[in-house]
Structure formats: structure tokens, C-alpha cells
Amino acid sequence: MTNATGFAPRAVLADRLRTHGLATDVALIAGGALFTAAMAQVEVPMWPVPITGQTLAVVLVGASLGARRGVLSMLVYALAGLAGAPFFADMQGGLHALALPSFGYVIGFVPAAGVVGWLARRNWDRRVGRAALAMLLASAIPFVTGLPYLAVALGALGLPNDLQAVLAAGLYPFVVGGVVKALIAAGVLPLVWKALARR
């Protein structure tokens, strides 16, 4: 059974590869982590939370790999960074990253990739309208963990951490950029599916 794109339902882009199996999955998971690490270096330096390309990477990786591989890819990204790989913004890595006010957003990348991957399995990445909704939803998830983590980190530093201060530092500067990144992903993924359908 196929849909309008000519592919079986519940397939994600990674499922269109010619090779399948454990080795392929490991390569995809590692590749997603490396892509996210690279996008973390696309940065507008700000404190306490920089603007980076990570969120765009997270939604693209999650949608392309599906929920299971997407979640594993973000776990590899976070754990490799904590182990010392320079995967986080400004080439940072190591356990000291746990003390960064922005680390809560990294935690949120894991469920964000899972949600967008789950939606992609249900073809939400194949048409721009639904893709935009999926990407916007997934892009919002890191704030669920990021903002409370930021509040605790600011308080530990003796800085204002009331609701308004946390929103001003950790949400408001990122709304426009987050929407733009979500719309970029929502435009790219359906185009890739259309290109594959023509092959």
C-alpha cells in the first residue's frame, strides 16, 4: 500500500536508503549526532543561552531518522558532549557543561527528536502545512526542560531567576529564530520526499 508520494506509510527518509541493518542504523545515529554538533557551532554568541543551529538539526534528524533512531542520536550527542567531545555550542564539552545555564535545552533535544520522528512516521513531514506544525511543536519542546534548568542555573549564580527574568533570557530572544528554523525544516523535508518520488 502506498500513499500519494509513492512510498509505503510510516516510512521516514532514512528508510529509503538502499542498505538496512544494525550497521546502517549505527551510522545514521552517529551521523545525526555529528550533524547536531556541527550545527551547534553555527552560533550567535549570547549569554546565558546562545542562538545556534541545534534546533534545526534536531528536527531534521528526528524527522529523517524516525523516533527511535532520532532519540538515540540525541542521546549520543548529549553523552558524547558530556564525555568531552566538543559537541556543544562554542566547541564546549565535558561534565562542566552540566553547569551551563543552557544545558537544559540539550536535555530537551531528546524528546523533541522523538516527537518529530513519531509524527514523521505518520507522514507529517511530507506536506508543508503539517510539517510546519510538527516542526514548531518539536522546536518548542526544548523550552520545557530548558527554562526550568535555566532558572535553577541563574539562581545558583546569584542572578535574578524569577519568571520574567527567565523568559527574557531563555525564551523571548529565540521565538523568531525558532519559527524560522522550523519553517526551513518544513520546507526542506517535503521537497526531499518529492524529489525521491520522481526518482
Side-chain angles (χ1 to χ4, degrees):
M1 180 176 172
T2 59
N3 60 16
T5 62
F7 296 118
R10 298 189 182 268
V12 293
L13 287 170
D15 297 328
R16 307 317 306 162
L17 294 174
R18 293 181 184 275
T19 59
H20 299 277
L22 180 60
T24 300
D25 284 345
V26 169
L28 289 169
I29 290 164
L34 289 171
F35 177 61
T36 306
M39 292 297 283
Q41 311 317 316
V42 180
E43 179 186 3
V44 177
M46 292 174 56
W47 196 90
V49 182
I51 295 174
T52 71
Q54 287 166 297
T55 309
L56 177 58
V58 170
V59 295
L60 288 173
V61 168
S64 299
L65 302 189
R68 180 177 58 86
R69 288 174 298 207
V71 164
L72 289 173
S73 188
M74 291 306 109
L75 283 172
V76 168
Y77 168 73
L79 293 174
L82 289 174
F87 276 12
F88 303 138
D90 199 28
M91 300 291 286
Q92 296 191 75
L95 288 175
H96 77 276
L98 291 169
L100 295 174
S102 59
F103 190 76
Y105 298 89
V106 174
I107 296 170
F109 293 163
V110 177
V115 167
V116 76
W118 186 88
L119 291 171
R121 282 261 178 233
R122 285 147 185 82
N123 301 337
W124 279 59
D125 62 335
R126 302 193 189 192
R127 296 191 180 277
V128 172
R130 289 207 304 179
L133 290 175
M135 302 308 153
L136 287 168
L137 173 62
S139 296
I141 291 172
F143 292 100
V144 175
T145 53
L147 293 173
Y149 201 101
L150 175 61
V152 172
L154 291 176
L157 293 170
L159 297 170
N161 66 343
D162 58 278
L163 179 61
Q164 187 56 40
V166 170
L167 293 177
L171 175 64
Y172 300 150
F174 306 97
V175 172
V176 173
V179 170
V180 169
K181 286 182 278 189
L183 293 178
I184 290 171
V188 168
L189 291 166
L191 285 176
V192 174
W193 276 112
K194 287 180 181 179
L196 288 173
R198 288 195 291 266
R199 289 179 59 182

